[in-house]
């Protein structure tokens, strides 16, 4: 059973890599924007070259793109400390330049902030972690975020998000993403959109929601 809307006001999606969390987030954002809700934030997308994945980009809701990581043996920014996740070098400088500006809330309006994702690569940025903390503790907005599935040694920051009392955590499975199963996919989108809009000026009452069986 969902908690009261005054408590669980943020929505967090989790699931294994490649399951379709970003695809689902994009569909939710499309529905929210079409309903007149202000949305800002970013997605993380794969970058492919001749069919091979060579890295990841961050793309803001309003269309700006910046590099998050690339397969690279050389230095991305000589003289600056670099971080690696597997074969990928993380471009913290580019990530911060693209992502941080859209993680600053507009205080004069209701807002949904999209953070896709709060993962290992993104968390090399201390500025990003501070921005995320500030957003989750803000009273004037709601967050739609994605986090990785806990495996191996969990990321402490991610676990802090996962265990917050003010989130609704949804585990994304192929059951909801499979385009041949449009009913359940659309039902989940509807449920999450309703949660995201609970405290907007357009919706002044509480809903109790549940995932489809």
């Amino acid at each position: 059973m969902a908690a009261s809307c005054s408590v669980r006001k943020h929505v967090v999606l989790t699931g294994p890599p490649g399951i379709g969390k970003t695809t689902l987030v994009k569909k939710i954002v499309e529905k929210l924007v079409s309903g007149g809700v202000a949305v800002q934030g970013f997605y993380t997308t794969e970058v492919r070259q001749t069919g091979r994945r060579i890295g990841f980009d961050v793309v803001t809701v309003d269309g700006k793109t910046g590099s998050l990581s690339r397969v690279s043996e050389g230095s991305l920014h000589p003289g600056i400390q670099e971080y690696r996740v597997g074969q990928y070098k993380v471009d913290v400088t580019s990530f911060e330049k693209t992502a941080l500006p859209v993680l600053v809330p507009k205080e004069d309006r209701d807002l949904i902030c999209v953070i896709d994702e709060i993962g290992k690569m993104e968390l090399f940025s201390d500025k990003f972690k501070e921005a995320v903390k500030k957003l989750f503790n803000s009273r004037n907005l709601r967050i739609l975020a994605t986090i990785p599935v806990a495996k191996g040694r969990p990321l402490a920051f991610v676990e802090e998000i996962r265990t917050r009392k003010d989130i609704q955590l949804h585990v994304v499975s192929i059951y909801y993403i499979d385009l041949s199963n449009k009913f359940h996919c659309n039902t989940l989108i509807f449920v999450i959109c309703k949660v995201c809009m609970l405290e907007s000026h357009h919706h002044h009452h509480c809903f109790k929601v549940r995932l489809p069986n």
Side-chain angles (χ1 to χ4, degrees):
M1 182 175 68
S4 65
C5 65
S6 61
V7 177
R8 297 186 184 274
K9 66 176 186 173
H10 304 304
V11 174
V12 177
L13 307 180
T14 189
I19 195 66
K21 297 186 295 296
T22 296
T23 298
L24 184 57
V25 168
K26 288 180 177 179
K27 290 181 179 181
I28 293 167
V29 169
E30 183 180 325
K31 293 291 186 183
L32 291 171
V33 171
S34 68
V37 178
V39 183
Q40 69 181 55
F42 72 89
Y43 315 108
T44 301
T45 62
E46 289 186 348
V47 179
R48 290 186 173 270
Q49 189 174 76
T50 62
R52 173 176 171 260
R53 188 170 69 190
I54 62 169
F56 296 89
D57 279 349
V58 287
V59 182
T60 64
V61 171
D62 60 357
K64 298 181 178 66
T65 301
S67 174
L68 172 61
S69 65
R70 288 292 186 274
V71 175
S72 175
E73 295 181 358
S75 177
L76 295 175
H77 299 284
I80 298 177
Q81 182 179 3
E82 293 187 324
Y83 303 93
R84 180 180 289 276
V85 177
Q87 63 180 326
Y88 302 105
K89 282 194 174 180
V90 181
D91 193 338
V92 174
T93 300
S94 172
F95 168 66
E96 290 181 342
K97 182 178 179 180
T98 306
L100 292 182
V102 296
L103 298 183
V104 178
K106 305 284 193 303
E107 297 294 341
D108 60 339
R109 60 175 179 173
D110 292 319
L111 181 69
I112 308 298
C113 190
V114 175
I115 314 174
D116 173 36
E117 77 175 339
I118 305 171
K120 188 171 184 178
M121 290 185 182
E122 294 85 359
L123 292 176
F124 284 122
S125 168
D126 289 333
K127 292 179 180 179
F128 172 70
K129 289 190 282 189
E130 288 303 315
V132 170
K133 287 180 182 177
K134 185 174 181 180
L135 287 171
F136 269 97
N137 292 326
S138 173
R139 295 182 179 181
N140 300 324
L141 57 79
R142 288 177 173 271
I143 294 170
L144 172 61
T146 64
I147 59 174
V149 171
K151 62 178 181 179
R153 185 177 180 181
L155 298 168
F157 191 90
V158 171
E159 294 311 300
E160 288 179 21
I161 300 297
R162 192 190 310 275
T163 57
R164 287 181 66 101
K165 302 296 185 183
D166 58 353
I167 73 163
Q168 288 196 23
L169 183 67
H170 296 280
V171 179
V172 179
S173 72
I174 196 66
Y175 179 70
Y176 294 110
I177 299 302
D178 185 359
L179 293 180
S180 66
N181 196 350
K182 290 183 178 179
F183 171 77
H184 290 102
C185 184
N186 290 337
T187 300
L188 182 58
I189 292 171
F190 173 77
V191 164
I192 293 175
C193 285
K194 186 178 285 190
V195 173
C196 286
M197 293 191 292
L198 286 179
E199 290 181 356
S200 74
H201 289 315
H202 305 291
H203 300 264
H204 293 288
H205 55 286
C206 291
F207 298 86
K208 290 185 179 180
V209 298
R210 58 184 296 179
L211 291 175
N213 295 321

